[in-house]
Amino acid sequence: MYLLGYDIGTSSVKVSLIDSETGICVASASAPDSEAPVKSLRPGWAEQEPGSWWRYIKEATGRIISKAGISPADIKAIGLSYQMHGLVCIDKERNVLRDAIIWCDSRGVGYGEKAAIDLGEKTCLSRLLNLPGNFTATKLAWVKENEPEIFGRIYKVMLPADYIAMLMTGEICTTPSGLSEYMLWDFEENTTAGFLMDYFGYNPDILPEVRPCFSEQGRLSADAAAELGLAQGTPVTYRAGDQPNNAVSLNVFDPGQIASTAGTSGVVYGINGNIAYDPQSRVNNFAHVNHSADAPRIGVMTCINGTGILNAWLRRNIMPEGTGYASMNDLAATIPIGSEGVSILPFGNGAERVLRNRQIGCTTMGVDFNRHDSRHLVRAAQEGIVFSFMYGIEIMKEMGLNVETIHAGNANMFLSSVFRDTLANITSASIKLFDTDGAAGAARAAGIGAGIYADNREAFAALKLISEIQPDPKDFSATLDAYMLWKNRLDSQLINC
């Protein structure tokens, strides 16, 4: 028997096939071959065509079935992970009304700020665990005000995987974890946040039905099965946003456990066993996949939008044509800790929650034309990303979370020794790298939802630890000095914003 997991990301769709008996990933694939486009019609805007996700899913599914050489009938469950906070709007005929407004789009900020003032920050924080900010609910507010004709035709609003699951099964549903990332889950009432729906003037009927993350959420229809080359009736049994799912992929379920990822955006995600929030709402709090009113599991997340996308920008615009990321990592390692005074503030991909939703852009500071070159920029970029992580971790610590061990996949920025060592040294935490990814995690989690596994311990028993990086005491002082310089430069930028 096999389990199939999809990770619907910003740059691609990844798919993994897991042998349910051994827990081993037997095949993986992705599509498209180059990074998927993001439309930015105005500064701070970011959109994608939802239909493109379905095309990539079909392409990746065909590749993995061909690669694995198995019968589709042997796949017993499907799991979905997806880019968080996206807004998909459909009409009664289930046609998409506009391109999806995705996670790094900033146009909802003003609507969230006004809602916090009108409703009261204390009310929002105590019930939503966040200020309304720049989430799905506030992006919908922009549509309501600026595209009233489209808003009036909306039958349902969905997150990216809600839309894909609808195409797969014909059923329209979401999860409590999903609603919490809409900013529409009331943690006091343990139900949909009606007070915020009322404030924005949303009809409750536009929301999908709510089902648990681990549950049957529909079965593949005949049409979808034919398009995907899978078996009709295969159940979809798990759904979660990419960051909760990244934690799931690393078997992070319990209070005190920490997961991190560093793809297009970067995240540190810790599990809190108490209902708590940051009074300034600089970190995000979402219902984790196993959250319940009786046993709270809150994913406390510091998210940096400008992570791998900064590295990609440098590769495209600064490095010689044909330079790969591995070569960039090697170049960064030739420069000492602190990049000889160069600092990069990596905030060029939309409004940053950790900066209270300010959009300050990416800034390079301290460059000396006679001493510095592209190597310094590459190292300063990687250090700047790590330091932005630390800036958020300091807030998480104020909330009572300890960061002693960080679990991460052996991928993306974690392939860089400079990135790994800098993170270990500035946090004084050990970093455990595992052979997994979001698609494999979604597949294993689907096994829980389908009842194939009894719990997460059984589902992730085969998770393979690749390496463990320990902080180096002799490098702590230099790393701290570099961080404090970076932080002082950030503070000077914030004063002027």
Side-chain angles (χ1 to χ4, degrees), residues 50 57 91 146 164 176 199 212 244 267 328 341 345 365 407 410 426 438:
I57 282 174
D91 63 18
N146 293 276
I164 293 301
Y199 172 81
V267 165
M328 290 174 63
L345 309 179
M365 307 178 81
H407 292 203
N410 189 45
I426 196 60

Side-chain angles (χ1 to χ4, degrees), residues 3-8 13-18 25 28-29 79-81 245 249 436-445:
L3 303 165
L4 194 63
Y6 293 95
D7 186 8
I8 307 159
V13 169
K14 299 175 183 176
V15 57
S16 291
L17 187 69
I18 299 292
C25 181
S28 60
L80 300 175
S81 169
N245 180 73
S249 304
T436 190
D437 59 25
R444 293 184 174 108

